[in-house]
Amino acid sequence: MQQNIAVAELDLDGLPGDVISFGPAPGGPPVTGGDVYALVRLHGRPVGTVLTRVPPGEDPAKALAKTAAAQLAGQEPATPDPDASAPERPTPGSAPGQAPHHGRSRPEPAGAESAVTDSFGAGHGGAGAQSVGAGSARAGPAGARAVGAESVGTRPVEGEADAAEPVGCEAGAAESVGCEAVGAESAGGESVGTKPVEGEAGAAEPVGCEAGAAASGEAGGAGSRWAGRVDVGGSQPPPRVTVVVATRERSAQLGRALDSLLGQDHPDFEIVVVDNAPVTTATRDLVETVYAHRVRYVRESVPGLAVAHNRGVASAGGEVLAFTDDDVVADPHWLSALTTPFAADPGLACVTGLILPAQLRTRAQVLLESHGGFAKGFAARTYDPRRPPADEPLFPFTAGSFGSGANMAFRADALRAVGGFDPATGTGTPARGGDDLYAFVRILAAGHRLRYTPEALVWHHHRETWQDLENQAYGYGAGLTAFLTAILVRRPALLPALLARLPRGLAHARAMTAHREAPQAHAEPVPGEHGAQAYPWPRSLSRLERRGMLYGPLGYARARHRVRGNPLPWGER
């Protein structure tokens, strides 16, 4: 089961260019030779990943730089998106005051982000089914491969490229997919037998869906904090943030994650640890001793990730709520990059970021990453329900392409207004997953925009054993259909839109979960080649994933029964 692919970071001053810095991924061993998978940055900005075999005695930094120059060629300095850009920051190795040199994997035409050129994902539970690697390629005899901005699955299903059906936010649209009247249903309140979020009852005005209007300056009730735009240099500070980390009996991993969160360069944030259905005091002891006065401890006795996240929402004091997992290591710039877009765009209610593997030591870890992992590519993009992406005919139900729960943030008022996370979804419940996907679609259905930014980076420690991978394969399938069931239960008005997309959705899900043999050209799985559909996916895992999809609605029904009658935490008095 040992794969032994080293994971590294490489920062360059150009393609080709000199090496600014090189080293292992956070917490990893020194990189010497053999198979190396590396994140490539240009003056600190992530632009792609490469995989190559470094011969004995060769400098791995130079070998990777050569591969990056060959496989990420065509990168040019790009003007940052004025709508949602992170503030510039110095990079180790650059001269004081030197402006960073930015680039993307390929020059993008005007309006490329609004078109959203990534292929739709199947929306697997936590990781999603976003294609990562359609543009990856072999580089010479060493077998090097690269994944850049174009590697996020650019090939739509045949015959679907022209589909650009509105999500329903335009006035008079026959199909109301994206416009929901606030108070028509409180997502959490209805499901658990409690009163709606205060202020929603009776409101008939759609949230952010005014006819022909651009995003409202008060979208989601955020107030005047985001009333004006900021320039790309971040003249306005990012909003105050609460970082929520839900955990259960994994204090060793939690400590590693908290250390990285306490090292963030964001100027104003707090950390809340939610201890979910604990059986020991290990988490409380860790937080209240090692991290006393720096991290806040909250207990949630009802098991389930969504329930724990809702407890964090209730305990949070930030204007923006960021969520990550206890098995990640956050880049020092993660929180600033994840939350600055909220200051730039008043209509933005959710931001997600890049998730890369912290280690690839076992076959299970490599297979997970090769099957899609968590990464969504290296091109920033914005999803707007008023302008559905033409190449995503399943939008907005392909929530796995939007991001993953280990790296997401929401405007607090907007998240509370839609009822937070469905407590009958997520790991720790019979539904097995889907909590993040549900929240993404509810935010879009409320008329808000969602943005993916690869500059917000966390490193995720994938589970190591084959049993873990089997559990994840089944959970991905179950989480997908559980989330879709939850959406229909909470928002029955979306049923016609879902039925219209069902044939294509079934065909896509069947293709993404299909058994695949490894091509003879590379018998071992290669991380990041999911979009190319050239990775192996064992028949046993394919079956498990499909069985999970069949189980998902039943799992959701069981979980919903368990939480029925529990009030939303912020509705408790």
Side-chain angles (χ1 to χ4, degrees):
M1 288 296 183
Q2 292 299 311
Q3 194 75 28
N4 294 323
I5 297 178
V7 181
E9 290 187 87
L10 175 69
D11 197 5
L12 302 172
D13 69 357
L15 290 171
D18 294 332
V19 174
I20 297 174
S21 64
F22 174 76
V31 178
T32 54
D35 292 330
V36 182
Y37 171 89
L39 167 67
V40 179
R41 302 176 184 260
L42 288 183
H43 284 280
R45 173 168 289 186
V47 295
T49 56
V50 295
L51 174 72
T52 193
R53 177 161 296 173
V54 179
E58 187 171 340
D59 184 345
K62 292 182 179 179
L64 288 163
K66 182 178 179 180
T67 299
Q71 292 301 319
L72 300 177
Q75 298 227 22
E76 299 294 339
T79 302
D81 180 1
D83 288 338
S85 175
E88 309 293 5
R89 60 178 175 136
T91 306
S94 61
Q98 177 181 346
H101 171 206
H102 297 312
R104 297 184 181 181
S105 289
R106 293 186 186 272
E108 299 178 12
E113 290 199 66
S114 62
V116 193
T117 58
D118 56 302
S119 72
F120 46 88
H124 291 326
Q130 173 66 9
S131 301
V132 182
S136 57
R138 183 177 297 274
R145 293 177 176 83
V147 181
E150 293 299 322
S151 68
V152 189
T154 59
R155 295 178 298 177
V157 173
E158 184 177 355
E160 295 183 357
D162 293 331
E165 181 180 353
V167 185
C169 286
E170 292 76 17
E175 179 183 67
S176 179
V177 177
C179 295
E180 67 179 50
V182 180
E185 175 199 355
S186 172
E190 180 277 333
S191 68
V192 292
T194 186
K195 59 186 178 181
V197 177
E198 183 178 355
E200 291 190 22
E205 182 180 359
V207 178
C209 293
E210 293 79 9
S216 167
E218 296 181 353
S224 61
R225 173 95 184 189
W226 295 275
R229 291 191 176 274
V230 298
D231 61 31
V232 296
S235 60
Q236 230 177 319
R240 173 163 174 75
V241 183
T242 297
V243 181
V244 177
V245 184
T247 186
R248 188 174 192 269
E249 303 301 336
R250 299 204 296 186
S251 57
Q253 292 186 98
L254 176 62
R256 180 180 60 203
L258 292 178
D259 288 341
S260 70
L261 293 175
L262 289 168
Q264 294 297 299
D265 63 10
H266 191 286
D268 188 10
F269 69 97
E270 64 171 348
I271 302 172
V272 174
V273 168
V274 181
D275 196 2
N276 188 215
V279 296
T280 71
T281 63
T283 298
R284 177 188 285 272
D285 294 343
L286 175 71
V287 173
E288 294 184 350
T289 56
V290 178
Y291 300 100
H293 310 298
R294 296 184 295 165
V295 176
R296 190 147 52 90
Y297 174 89
V298 175
R299 177 188 172 107
E300 173 52 63
S301 297
V302 178
L305 183 58
V307 176
H309 279 167
N310 282 341
R311 178 62 62 185
V313 173
S315 304
E319 300 163 89
V320 168
L321 311 180
F323 297 86
T324 191
D325 292 347
D326 59 8
D327 54 1
V328 308
V329 175
D331 181 83
H333 191 54
W334 166 70
L335 195 57
S336 293
L338 189 67
T339 59
T340 297
F342 289 103
D345 183 356
L348 194 65
C350 179
V351 178
T352 63
L354 176 65
I355 305 174
L356 292 179
Q359 59 184 27
L360 294 169
R361 293 196 299 229
T362 70
R363 182 166 178 251
Q365 290 177 324
V366 175
L367 269 176
L368 175 64
E369 189 63 24
S370 300
H371 189 55
F374 297 85
K376 312 301 175 189
F378 293 87
R381 51 198 178 273
T382 299
Y383 297 89
D384 190 335
R386 292 171 189 77
R387 293 182 292 276
D391 61 345
E392 290 210 25
L394 303 181
F395 181 88
F397 300 108
T398 51
S401 64
F402 305 150
S404 298
N407 192 352
M408 61 184 181
F410 298 86
R411 205 180 292 276
D413 288 348
L415 183 59
R416 292 188 180 111
V418 299
F421 299 90
D422 186 324
T425 59
T427 56
T429 73
R432 306 292 293 267
D435 51 302
D436 49 353
L437 310 184
Y438 171 86
F440 297 154
V441 173
R442 282 306 304 263
I443 285 294
L444 288 166
H448 304 296
R449 287 188 288 276
L450 181 154
R451 181 173 176 81
Y452 169 77
T453 175
E455 291 193 48
L457 167 67
V458 299
W459 300 87
H460 183 265
H461 285 263
H462 297 347
R463 303 293 182 86
E464 298 185 25
T465 70
W466 190 259
Q467 182 63 57
D468 290 331
L469 181 59
E470 289 181 332
N471 291 340
Q472 283 182 296
Y474 186 83
Y476 287 171
L480 168 63
T481 53
F483 128 73
L484 292 172
T485 304
I487 286 293
L488 294 181
V489 169
R490 307 290 192 181
R491 298 294 303 162
L494 295 177
L495 178 60
L498 181 61
L499 290 177
R501 293 158 172 78
L502 189 59
R504 286 172 172 170
L506 290 175
H508 178 66
R510 187 164 52 249
M512 298 303 289
T513 61
H515 159 66
R516 292 180 178 87
E517 299 288 350
Q520 294 182 356
H522 54 283
E524 293 298 331
V526 178
E529 288 198 329
H530 183 64
Q533 297 187 351
Y535 58 90
W537 189 238
R539 192 179 305 276
S540 62
L541 297 178
S542 172
R543 289 172 176 168
L544 280 171
E545 200 168 6
R546 290 177 173 180
R547 283 170 52 191
M549 292 172 66
L550 294 174
Y551 165 80
L554 176 61
Y556 176 76
R558 290 174 174 171
R560 183 176 168 85
H561 177 73
R562 290 185 183 183
V563 301
R564 185 177 296 276
N566 294 342
L568 287 170
W570 54 90
E572 296 174 349
R573 295 290 183 267

